[in-house]
Amino acid sequence: MECYEIIFHVIDSLIAVIALILVIFGWIIPAKKNESLEQLKWEKDYIDLQISELYGPLSACLHNGQVIRCKVFKQLGRHYVFAEGESISDLPVHEQIIWKHYVKNYKLKYLRDAVLIVQQNYHLIDEKDDYNLYEAFIKYTLIWDFTDNQYNNGIRNNYNFQYETNYPYEFEEQINATLEFLKEKKRLLIKKLDSKNV
């Protein structure tokens, strides 16, 4: 082989290798970009699901219960129902009627609705949430509902339209904080997606 043929063969081989490298990079880079874009879309869709199926409805349900509870406090003229050591029988008759009406028609309904939302969407609970608060809320609701149901069916128990443990307000705070966190995370993801689509 002559020297010129060897040089042309080497140049031809180099051009082929460079073309192959360009094809590979031309395929890998867009594929990685697509993969990244798909990951962002999946993450946004999952957050949408968390907000629309769990945190949004749960926050609204708890908020509605809180609005009604505040109205009851206003009707009673104070920010509590029972003073330390008091029971339903210690309240004036008209306050007993207000409280029983609230418990029967609103409190237990909102609690049951909230538990149902949690139970149907337990798989959507954000990983940073404290699962113990969910369990405390569910336990609070189920036991109150159980003793109220017994009372309504003539089964003797110590139920007097109040519960022996305090409402887990930390649960409500966690739900609202996580909802705000997810909304902000979604906003940032949308911003990222918009910039990648340009």
Side-chain angles (χ1 to χ4, degrees), residues 53-59 61 112-122:
E53 298 294 321
L54 178 62
Y55 291 97
L58 190 53
S59 179
C61 184
R112 287 182 200 118
D113 290 349
V115 165
L116 186 61
I117 292 168
V118 169
Q119 289 174 333
Q120 289 176 341
N121 297 288
Y122 208 76

Side-chain angles (χ1 to χ4, degrees), residues 78 82-93 95-96 162:
R78 57 186 183 271
F82 304 103
E84 179 107 15
E86 274 188 341
S87 69
I88 191 87
S89 59
D90 296 321
L91 297 177
V93 174
E95 289 184 4
Q96 289 181 33
Q162 66 188 63

Side-chain angles (χ1 to χ4, degrees), residues 43-132:
E43 194 174 345
K44 183 199 149 296
D45 290 346
Y46 184 71
I47 289 172
D48 279 342
L49 196 61
Q50 286 180 297
I51 291 171
S52 66
E53 298 294 321
L54 178 62
Y55 291 97
L58 190 53
S59 179
C61 184
L62 296 171
H63 175 74
N64 291 344
Q66 188 180 65
V67 168
I68 300 297
R69 185 173 61 242
C70 287
K71 180 65 177 170
V72 168
F73 290 161
K74 189 173 182 178
Q75 287 177 330
L76 296 176
R78 57 186 183 271
H79 294 287
Y80 61 91
V81 178
F82 304 103
E84 179 107 15
E86 274 188 341
S87 69
I88 191 87
S89 59
D90 296 321
L91 297 177
V93 174
H94 73 282
E95 289 184 4
Q96 289 181 33
I97 292 169
I98 291 170
W99 181 248
K100 285 180 180 181
H101 176 264
Y102 164 69
V103 168
K104 293 288 183 197
N105 295 293
Y106 297 97
K107 182 167 184 68
L108 290 174
K109 178 199 177 310
Y110 284 120
L111 290 174
R112 287 182 200 118
D113 290 349
V115 165
L116 186 61
I117 292 168
V118 169
Q119 289 174 333
Q120 289 176 341
N121 297 288
Y122 208 76
H123 61 287
L124 295 174
I125 293 173
D126 196 70
E127 62 188 19
K128 72 175 193 55
D129 278 3
D130 181 355
Y131 285 83
N132 292 326

